[in-house]
Structures are given as structure tokens and as C-alpha cells.
């Protein structure tokens, strides 16, 4: 499976809280007041666009795509509660058979697109077929190798071929014949590619600028680099949707906003900005302004600990091929310093991480194979390196990281901690495009270490483990940046994915968590916390236990 990282595809980039007394419970939720139908919601983003083509999108259920497109299944998200799967277009969350190789869904009655035409099962199939076309790549792809082993299918536009692994015996029934048993298929059915596209439509490259909507809103105008205006889809039936109350009459995305301008507008809280929500990153300097303003501080909403920040060790390069050398890094890294570098405050950055599976996911077990102090134990790390034949430590290592935002500063905290243990590294900051080309695509990349983070795309430990540690995810755009190749782990991943009983699957994923960490391909750092700033009239700003992002579906304007 090759696909974009969820964090890169989500417009809801975290505002890291510098000082507002947050703990590991969601803080400042709801926004106060009573939300009612009506009004205009403004979403302020530093990104140049929002992707509304479901084949190209990696948007989570709770973020931008959901305004315009529905999917077969969805998530019920609430503060302090585990996220559960619920039906969206389908009447239920899917019926598995044949040991999990076959999944059947039935569409609800009277579903319509924004143009008034009925939504049919063949449209869901067509939308999925579009996602295989090279011209429409880039979105989440958990479904692809299960529907087309070896990715031999190339979409419906060249030769008009159909994907035989999807059957639509009538307008309301869709049957998936998977290549192997897959217990999380109902979760996968909540990813963007499962949004319907009217059969025969969507061949144009700019389909995402004026798609046919199945959700509560349709795009009225779209100007890349400027804004997208969403208005109500009058053919949307709210009674058919339990997750989208669709409070605002209009949603306006304002693109290409400078982050300091976004912060100032939301702090000032005047005019239309009272109805605005900031979806873009703010610097520590801007956060100091926010937390120094009583009104703004009251409008910061904070998640529980969420995404995993980690240091990947290139297991195929130099001395890092030795597991005993890699284990020394578990003690050499100063996680406390990384916390401070991340948010200016250890408490507010997020909890120290010791596992690969992130909080809020079913089956997660808390453990620590490498018990040490938050600041690490450089002396023990030196002893371990000496025992591995490196009495003088390690020199000349390259640490790759992203160049934007605060990643270089966080990399410096890792560099300093490793130096205390006799490990000398040079930081290699890369812009997003170069990072992808160097770290994810090259066969023999020039790095020893990678500093990055990961937010699972679905509420399953599968999405923590498989993309980061299955050998098929090495290179070619994959996210196995540790270049970790363990045939036994590959086998166990496939076995866990095939387990339909979720309690049993959870046990298998927890065992894999321990087994992989015993090989030390990565050093877990922290489970990051996210915070957001909004205007005084934006209500129902909620963040569930998973994901650590605000649920756009619930937003409304306080009347």
C-alpha cells in the first residue's frame, strides 16, 4: 500500500499550546453558547487549497472532505470516549462473510446527489475505480491491493475496464471480494475513495473543484489560492445522517493566509472573524500572544495526546544494521528536551511515548521495553555502544527532517541528546517535496535517522503498524522510513489484518507492537497534543479521543 501521509493531507494542522494549563483531557471544548442552524462558518488556512476529489484526498472523516462527500461508513466521535464506527451511506457497517474475504453493504433509501439524481451502488464502485487511475492518485489507498493484488488494475478510463472484485447486483447492494481476509474493511470503507461519484463522471483533472456532492454542502465557487464557498445541498436528507448536523448555512474556506495574520485575526475577534476557526499552524511567538490574551486563551481547544512523534533509525544503513546499536538509541534520546522543543513546555507538548500504537485505539497496551528517565541515560547508551564494538560512539550520522515550522528546532533537541551519548549527527532539513523524494522514494536514501510523526488514518492499530513497518512500505512513496524488513513481522501483520474479531485482532496488534520495538527500528518520542483557536461565535468545537483533530462536522454558529 502506497499513499500519502494523513498529516500531510489534513488541513487541520495543530496549533501547539504553549501555556494554558492543559492536561490530558480535552480542554475548552464547545466554545460556549447555543449553536443553531444558520450563519456562515469561516475556515482560515495557510494551505493554498482543499482537495475535494475523493480519489486524491487523505482527509479524515472529521475534517474537510466530509462537508461535500459521504462515505459508506463513518465515525462517532465524542470527547473522552473511544471512537466507534457507524453507518453513513450504508444501512449498517458492513456484513463480513467467507472468513472476512467478502463484505456486503446496502445503501440507505432515497439517497440523492446535489443535482437530484439518485446515489447508486455502481457510483460507489465507480468512485473506487477512479482511485486506481494514475491521473487520480495521491489519496488513501488501504483498499487498493485488497481489490487489485499487485495493483494491476489501472482505472476505468483506458479501455473502460471494470474492477471485477466489486459487484453491484442491484442499485443498493455493493459486494467486495477481497484478495484476502481483512477485519478492518468496514473502517477502510470510511476513507475518502468510498465516496460515490456518478458513474461516467470525474474524468476531468479538476473534478475536485466542482464535484457532484453527496454530503450536506456543495461547492458554489472554488478559487485555488483564495477561497472555496460551500452552500447547502438542498437534496441532502439530514435524517439519513447521524454524524453531520450541518449547522452553518455556508462554509467559506479562506486559503493562503499567513499564520501570523490568522492568529491576529482570531485574537482580535471582530466582524466575520468571530465566526472563524483557525486550521493552520501557529508559531510559539504567536502562541505567546494568544495565551497572553484572556479572551483568546478561553477560545483555545486542546486534544488528548494523539499522534506519535518518533525517530526512525535506518535499519539498512551502516552500524544501524546492528540491533544492539539501535537499542542504545532508546536510552540516548532526551525525550524531555524534545517535549520542550515541541511546545515550550514539557507538559503541554504531549505525553512521553513508549509504544507504537497511539492512545485512543482499541487493543492498545501500555508498556515500556526500555525503561529510563525522560531525559534518557547517555551513560547507559555509551556502555551499550561499547558492548556493540563502538567504544568511541558513532560519528557522521545524517538526521533528516522537514524544514518547515518547528521541525528543525525539534531536530536540534534530538541532536543534543545524542551528542551526550557520543553519537554525532548532522541535521538535514528538507522541504516537503524533497523530504518525500529523498526519504520515501529513493532506493538508497542519504539518511541514517528521520524525525517525523504519524497520525493513523482510521481508528485501528492496523493503521499504526502496517504503514510504518511492513516491508512493502519501503520506498516507492511508502512510510516505512526505518526501512525495517522482518518477514515474521510481515506475516504477523497479514494475520492480524485477517482477524475479523476486533478484540482478538487487538491482542495481535499489541503483540506486534512489542515485537517490533524489540528490534528498535524507531524511538517513540511523544504522543502529541493539538490545540485550536476559534472566534467567539463558533460553537461545538469538539475533539474526541481519536483522532486528535477537531471534528468539523459538529461546528456551528452561536446565535
Amino acid at each position: 500500500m502506497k499513499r500519502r501521509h494523513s498529516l500531510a493531507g489534513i488541513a487541520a494542522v495543530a496549533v501547539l499550546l504553549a501555556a494554558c494549563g492543559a492536561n490530558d483531557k480535552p480542554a475548552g471544548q464547545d466554545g460556549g453558547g447555543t449553536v443553531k442552524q444558520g450563519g456562515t462558518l469561516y475556515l482560515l488556512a495557510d494551505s493554498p487549497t482543499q482537495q475535494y476529489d475523493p480519489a486524491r484526498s487523505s482527509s479524515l472523516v472529521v475534517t474537510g472532505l466530509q462537508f461535500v462527500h459521504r462515505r459508506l461508513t463513518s465515525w462517532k466521535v465524542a470527547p473522552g470516549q473511544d471512537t466507534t464506527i457507524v453507518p453513513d451511506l450504508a444501512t449498517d457497517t458492513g456484513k463480513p462473510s467467507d472468513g472476512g474475504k467478502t463484505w456486503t453493504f446496502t445503501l440507505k433509501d432515497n439517497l440523492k446527489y446535489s443535482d437530484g439524481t439518485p446515489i447508486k451502488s455502481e457510483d460507489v464502485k465507480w468512485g473506487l475505480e477512479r482511485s486506481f487511475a494514475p491521473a487520480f492518485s495521491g489519496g488513501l489507498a488501504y483498499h487498493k491491493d485488497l481489490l487489485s493484488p499487485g495493483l494491476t488494475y489501472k482505472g476505468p478510463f483506458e479501455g473502460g475496464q471494470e474492477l471485477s472484485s466489486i459487484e453491484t447486483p442491484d442499485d443498493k447492494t455493493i459486494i467486495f471480494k477481497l484478495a484476502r481476509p481483512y477485519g478492518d474493511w468496514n473502517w477502510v470503507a470510511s476513507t475518502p475513495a468510498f465516496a460515490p461519484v456518478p458513474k461516467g463522471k470525474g474524468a476531468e483533472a479538476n473534478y475536485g473543484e466542482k464535484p457532484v456532492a453527496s454530503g450536506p454542502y456543495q461547492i458554489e465557487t472554488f478559487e485555488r489560492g483564495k477561497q472555496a464557498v460551500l452552500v447547502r445541498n438542498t437534496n441532502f436528507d439530514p435524517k439519513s445522517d447521524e454524524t453531520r448536523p450541518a449547522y452553518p448555512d455556508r462554509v467559506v474556506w479562506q486559503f493562503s493566509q499567513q499564520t501570523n495574520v490568522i492568529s491576529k485575526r482570531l485574537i482580535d475577534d471582530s466582524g466575520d472573524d468571530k465566526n472563524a476557526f483557525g486550521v493552520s499552524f501557529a508559531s510559539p511567538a504567536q502562541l505567546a500572544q494568544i495565551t497572553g490574551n484572556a479572551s483568546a486563551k478561553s477560545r483555545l481547544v486542546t486534544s488528548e495526546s494523539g499522534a506519535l512523534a518518533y525517530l526512525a533509525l535506518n535499519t539498512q544503513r551502516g552500524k544501524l544494521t546492528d540491533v544492539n546499536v539501535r537499542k542504545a538509541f532508546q536510552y540516548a534520546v532526551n525525550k524531555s528536551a524534545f517535549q520542550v522543543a515541541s511546545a515550550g513546555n514539557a507538559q503541554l507538548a504531549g505525553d512521553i511515548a513508549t509504544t507504537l500504537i497511539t492512545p485512543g485505539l482499541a487493543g492498545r497496551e501500555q508498556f515500556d521495553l526500555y525503561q529510563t528517565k525522560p531525559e534518557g541515560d547517555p551513560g547507559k547508551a555509551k556502555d551499550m555502544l561499547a558492548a556493540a564494538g563502538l567504544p568511541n560512539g558513532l560519528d557522521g550520522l545524517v538526521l533528516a527532517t522537514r524544514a518547515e515550522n518547528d521541525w528543525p528546532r525539534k531536530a536540534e533537541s534530538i541532536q543534543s541528546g545524542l551528542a551526550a551519548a557520543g553519537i554525532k549527527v548532522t541535521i538535514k532539513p528538507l522541504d516537503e517535496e524533497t523530504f518525500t523524494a529523498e526519504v520515501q522514494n529513493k532506493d538508497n536514501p542519504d539518511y541514517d535517522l528521520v524525525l517525523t510523526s504519524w497520525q493513523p488514518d482510521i481508528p485501528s492499530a492496523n493503521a499504526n503498524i502496517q504503514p510504518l513497518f511492513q516491508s512493502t512500505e519501503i520506498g516507492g512513496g511508502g512510510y516505512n522510513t526505518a526501512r525495517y524488513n522482518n518477514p515474521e513481522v510481515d506475516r504477523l501483520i497479514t494475520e492480524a489484518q485477517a482477524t475479523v474479531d476486533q478484540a482478538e485482532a487487538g491482542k495481535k496488534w499489541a503483540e506486534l507492537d512489542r515485537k517490533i520495538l524489540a528490534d528498535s527500528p524507531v524511538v517513540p518520542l511523544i504522543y502529541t497534543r493539538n490545540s485550536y483557536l476559534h472566534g467567539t461565535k463558533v460553537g461545538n468545537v469538539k475533539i474526541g479521543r481519536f483522532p486528535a483533530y477537531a471534528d468539523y462536522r459538529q461546528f456551528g454558529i452561536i446565535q
Side-chain angles (χ1 to χ4, degrees):
M1 172 176 52
K2 309 294 185 190
R3 49 32 157 210
R4 290 174 57 195
H5 189 182
S6 60
L7 289 179
I10 296 174
V13 181
V15 177
L16 294 176
L17 183 57
C20 74
N23 51 33
D24 205 29
K25 298 293 182 183
Q29 303 224 33
D30 292 336
T34 302
V35 167
K36 295 181 180 179
Q37 295 281 331
T40 299
L41 171 69
Y42 294 88
L43 300 174
L44 312 182
D46 62 355
S47 58
T49 190
Q50 167 68 25
Q51 180 57 261
Y52 285 111
D53 186 331
R56 291 174 164 175
S57 175
S58 55
S59 177
L60 297 184
V61 163
V62 299
T63 54
L65 193 74
Q66 60 80 25
F67 288 116
V68 175
H69 297 289
R70 299 177 70 174
R71 314 168 192 200
L72 284 180
T73 61
S74 188
W75 309 346
K76 184 176 181 180
V77 177
Q81 298 180 22
D82 287 343
T83 295
T84 57
I85 191 169
V86 294
D88 192 356
L89 291 172
T91 57
D92 55 31
T93 58
K95 293 182 172 64
S97 57
D98 191 21
K101 284 186 68 175
T102 300
W103 286 80
T104 302
F105 295 83
T106 303
L107 299 185
K108 295 172 181 174
D109 293 331
N110 302 316
L111 297 172
K112 295 181 180 179
Y113 290 109
S114 52
D115 63 4
T117 58
I119 297 174
K120 301 178 181 180
S121 57
E122 65 180 15
D123 300 336
V124 177
K125 177 177 179 177
W126 176 260
L128 285 163
E129 289 175 336
R130 283 184 74 246
S131 73
F132 284 85
F136 299 99
S137 63
L140 299 186
Y142 289 90
H143 60 286
K144 287 188 176 180
D145 69 335
L146 292 163
L147 294 173
S148 175
L151 304 184
T152 56
Y153 180 69
K154 300 301 180 184
F157 300 113
E158 296 182 10
Q161 294 184 338
E162 293 190 13
L163 194 55
S164 61
S165 53
I166 305 176
E167 299 175 0
T168 54
D170 55 56
D171 287 347
K172 293 181 62 179
T173 305
I174 183 164
I175 303 169
F176 299 97
K177 302 281 190 177
L178 308 183
R180 54 189 170 86
Y182 201 85
D184 279 339
W185 187 253
N186 50 356
W187 286 115
V188 172
S190 72
T191 57
F194 287 77
V197 175
K199 187 172 182 179
K201 293 187 179 293
E204 62 274 22
N206 64 343
Y207 177 73
E209 296 181 8
K210 197 70 174 180
V212 182
S214 55
Y217 300 92
Q218 58 185 322
I219 297 176
E220 182 180 65
T221 60
F222 186 99
E223 299 174 85
R224 184 181 177 89
K226 185 177 181 182
Q227 69 175 16
V229 178
L230 280 54
V231 297
R232 288 197 183 278
N233 169 10
T234 57
N235 285 296
F236 172 74
D237 179 7
K239 294 179 182 178
S240 72
D241 192 331
E242 63 179 280
T243 65
R244 298 175 182 85
Y247 289 117
D249 286 336
R250 288 160 55 92
V251 178
V252 178
W253 284 85
Q254 295 185 355
F255 304 131
S256 302
Q257 303 294 306
Q258 294 181 357
T259 55
N260 62 331
V261 174
I262 292 174
S263 294
K264 186 178 188 307
R265 287 173 59 180
L266 292 174
I267 290 171
D268 291 347
D269 192 45
S270 63
D272 289 341
D273 291 337
K274 291 179 181 289
N275 293 19
F277 176 86
V279 303
S280 301
F281 181 86
S283 70
Q286 293 155 9
L287 286 166
Q289 292 179 310
I290 294 169
T291 56
N293 180 298
S295 171
K297 181 177 176 180
S298 71
R299 291 182 273 116
L300 276 167
V301 182
T302 307
S303 74
E304 299 184 35
S305 293
L308 176 68
Y310 64 98
L311 180 70
L313 315 179
N314 188 342
T315 59
Q316 297 184 10
R317 183 163 156 121
K319 299 297 184 181
L320 295 180
T321 59
D322 185 341
V323 65
N324 295 312
V325 172
R326 297 197 300 268
K327 286 182 178 180
F329 281 77
Q330 303 289 346
Y331 300 95
V333 169
N334 187 333
K335 298 182 182 181
S336 180
F338 183 83
Q339 286 179 312
V340 174
S342 296
N345 182 293
Q347 164 67 16
L348 300 172
D351 293 341
I352 294 283
T354 60
T355 67
L356 304 172
I357 299 174
T358 50
L361 299 185
R364 177 181 183 270
E365 294 180 5
Q366 177 60 42
F367 64 89
D368 186 358
L369 293 186
Y370 306 99
Q371 295 185 24
T372 188
K373 297 171 290 186
E375 60 269 25
D377 188 341
K380 182 170 183 176
K382 286 181 178 180
D383 291 342
M384 294 179 71
L385 289 174
L390 297 170
N392 298 318
L394 278 166
D395 195 1
L397 300 187
V398 175
L399 168 57
T401 190
R402 291 174 173 82
E404 69 270 17
N405 301 326
D406 59 350
W407 283 106
R409 185 176 70 253
K410 291 187 284 191
E412 288 171 1
S413 74
I414 298 295
Q415 180 187 47
S416 178
L418 294 178
I423 302 171
K424 298 179 182 179
V425 305
T426 299
I427 297 172
K428 186 177 184 179
L430 305 168
D431 61 53
E432 187 66 36
E433 184 177 343
T434 307
F435 184 93
T436 300
E438 175 70 31
V439 175
Q440 296 171 223
N441 288 331
K442 278 192 176 181
D443 291 333
N444 295 295
D446 181 26
Y447 70 82
D448 301 279
L449 312 172
V450 178
L451 183 61
T452 188
S453 66
W454 184 259
Q455 171 72 62
D457 298 305
I458 56 176
S460 168
N462 178 11
N464 267 124
I465 300 296
Q466 186 273 337
L468 303 185
F469 300 105
Q470 191 169 49
S471 64
T472 56
E473 300 305 299
I474 298 172
Y479 287 86
N480 185 344
T481 54
R483 311 187 82 79
Y484 177 66
N485 187 344
N486 184 329
E488 176 66 5
V489 165
D490 285 348
R491 184 187 69 79
L492 292 172
I493 286 173
T494 300
E495 181 181 298
Q497 288 178 332
T499 305
V500 176
D501 182 284
Q502 292 303 291
E504 184 62 28
K507 295 178 182 177
K508 293 180 178 181
W509 291 119
E511 291 172 2
L512 269 163
D513 196 341
R514 291 176 182 270
K515 185 174 184 64
I516 294 168
L517 272 176
D519 282 341
S520 192
V522 305
V523 179
L525 299 171
I526 63 173
Y527 308 114
T528 60
R529 290 194 184 103
N530 301 332
S531 293
Y532 302 88
L533 183 63
H534 60 83
T536 52
K537 288 190 175 182
V538 180
N540 272 13
V541 181
K542 299 178 182 292
I543 306 177
R545 189 168 288 160
F546 177 92
Y549 298 108
D551 188 349
Y552 293 16
R553 300 173 300 178
Q554 309 306 316
F555 291 0
I557 303 303
I558 297 170
Q559 306 295 322

